[in-house]
């Protein structure tokens, strides 16, 4: 036995992190033990505190330490709009634009039947119930990937059947984008979804 | 405040891992909270146990839970040979070859003046003291990088001045290597360090 068992166990435990294989886990363990033991102990405490204290907001499904998160509880947010995003990181991106003042619903994923993620796992029932209680326009801001598009399509069908107004964020050339450099799929969509110019 | 503070703290703490930037840390934190809380708690315990229990072996400087590691304590290992490697991972690679039955000394790094890593940080004094107490052949198995070569050169000069026999592992074409595919530096070294054929 060359490797001490606590070290072996740490290397195995680090593999629970996404994108970390055996070689990276070994490198991380050696780095922590050799150069940053204080960091390792701090990480241990942070993992413990986060796993024990963070739940999902009962309204928007985002991570939260309270039953209802600060954003959902805020009276300053416009309850006439509900933006549906895939992940908390998408919500942060939306907030950084500072152009949206409505509420959110975080799916914590996207429809992916092959991974066993369906309507139930993404809490579509809670989303429908929420919109029925307080009608509003639902803005679908899932990614423009195959799975994100499928999720948006499914949600649009579901919500419109309940008489709810549903919109999708626009697809097209990015700001500063040049026709020569954009992929043909995006350009084709930009032509299809063209808007009348009002002067 | 959109991100709960325990989550922010976890994301910051994950940055102590090598090669983990803000985006990866966020992705890791979300993954753990959403899909693998048990893994997060297990990782926390493993970090804690490793950082608290793993020290350096007083003989070979490798990670060890005992004062002297199992390999150094073993009577089966040949004390006539001492192999100097940079990192514990290198020791494991040497062990996997199953061709070396001597002892080891792990530098836990390489000479790197720009990073402030000199002879003192790599415990060269302990290495010299150890070889003086129990003379043996020192096999330098540091990497064939600029820094690894410099470390080997420094160590060879230091140890030979004490009358100790020093060797360096061979450089040349890899087993199964083809001249057409090898880089010219390696081929040049293979020619320079050619060996007489004994038939």
């Amino acid at each position: 036995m060359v490797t001490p068992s606590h070290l072996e166990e740490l290397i195995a435990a680090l593999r629970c992190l996404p994108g970390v294989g055996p070689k990276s886990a070994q490198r991380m363990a050696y780095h922590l033990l050799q150069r940053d033991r204080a960091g390792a102990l701090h990480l241990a405490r942070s993992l413990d505190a986060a796993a024990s204290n963070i739940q999902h907001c009962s309204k928007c499904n985002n991570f939260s330490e309270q039953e209802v998160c600060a954003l959902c509880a805020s009276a300053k947010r416009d309850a006439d709009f509900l933006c549906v995003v895939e992940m908390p990181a998408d919500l942060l991106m939306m907030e950084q634009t500072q152009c949206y003042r409505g509420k959110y619903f975080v799916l914590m994923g996207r429809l992916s039947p092959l991974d066993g993620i369906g309507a139930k796992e993404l809490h579509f029932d809670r989303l429908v119930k929420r919109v029925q209680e307080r009608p509003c326009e639902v803005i679908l801001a899932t990614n423009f990937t195959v799975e994100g598009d499928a999720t948006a399509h499914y949600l649009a069908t579901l919500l419109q059947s309940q008489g709810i107004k549903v919109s999708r964020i626009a697809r097209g050339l990015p700001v500063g984008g040049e026709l020569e450099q954009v992929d043909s799929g995006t350009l084709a969509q930009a032509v299809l979804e063209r808007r009348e110019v009002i002067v």
Side-chain angles (χ1 to χ4, degrees), chain A:
Chain A
M1 273 288 281
V2 172
T3 318
S5 63
H6 281 301
L7 179 55
E8 269 174 359
E9 205 173 303
L10 174 58
I11 292 172
L14 282 164
R15 303 259 330 253
C16 77
L17 298 170
V20 174
K23 283 264 172 189
S24 310
Q26 196 183 56
R27 197 165 48 93
M28 286 174 168
Y30 288 162
H31 172 87
L32 290 177
L33 287 171
Q34 206 183 330
R35 305 208 192 282
D36 198 4
R37 291 203 182 210
L41 290 170
H42 177 65
L43 177 55
R45 282 193 302 276
S46 302
L47 282 163
D48 208 41
S52 314
N53 291 310
I54 298 178
Q55 274 111 54
H56 290 276
C57 168
S58 65
K59 293 203 133 189
C60 73
N61 198 37
N62 196 4
F63 292 125
S64 170
E65 285 173 38
Q66 287 85 40
E67 160 77 13
V68 175
C69 74
L71 202 150
C72 285
S74 167
K76 286 187 188 158
R77 308 292 304 211
D78 189 345
D80 286 338
F81 298 94
L82 185 76
C83 179
V84 178
V85 293
E86 292 181 19
M87 297 297 291
D90 303 330
L91 186 155
L92 289 178
M93 288 301 293
M94 285 289 292
E95 284 298 287
Q96 274 169 31
T97 65
Q98 301 199 346
C99 75
Y100 180 72
R101 301 302 299 161
K103 305 250 175 178
Y104 289 97
F105 189 87
V106 184
L107 297 172
M108 292 287 172
R110 60 210 68 83
L111 284 180
S112 181
L114 289 178
D115 302 320
I117 298 172
K120 191 167 161 287
E121 284 71 25
L122 299 177
H123 306 289
F124 284 180
D125 50 338
R126 269 173 58 193
L127 174 59
V128 170
K129 195 160 154 262
R130 173 146 180 220
V131 181
Q132 279 171 337
E133 279 169 9
R134 170 76 179 78
C136 58
E137 177 179 343
V138 173
I139 302 169
L140 299 173
T142 55
N143 291 329
F144 283 106
T145 56
V146 174
E147 289 168 333
D149 266 335
T151 309
H153 183 78
Y154 187 102
L155 272 177
T157 313
L158 180 70
L159 293 167
Q160 277 172 350
S161 73
Q162 316 266 330
I164 295 156
K165 184 177 174 188
V166 182
S167 59
R168 180 93 167 99
I169 55 168
R171 186 158 38 180
L173 264 68
V175 173
E178 295 178 17
L179 264 69
E180 200 183 334
Q181 275 145 22
V182 93
D183 67 294
S184 55
T186 301
L187 188 54
Q189 282 294 341
V191 174
L192 276 175
E193 298 181 17
R194 66 192 177 279
R195 299 176 61 174
E196 195 179 347
V197 181
I198 295 150
V199 280

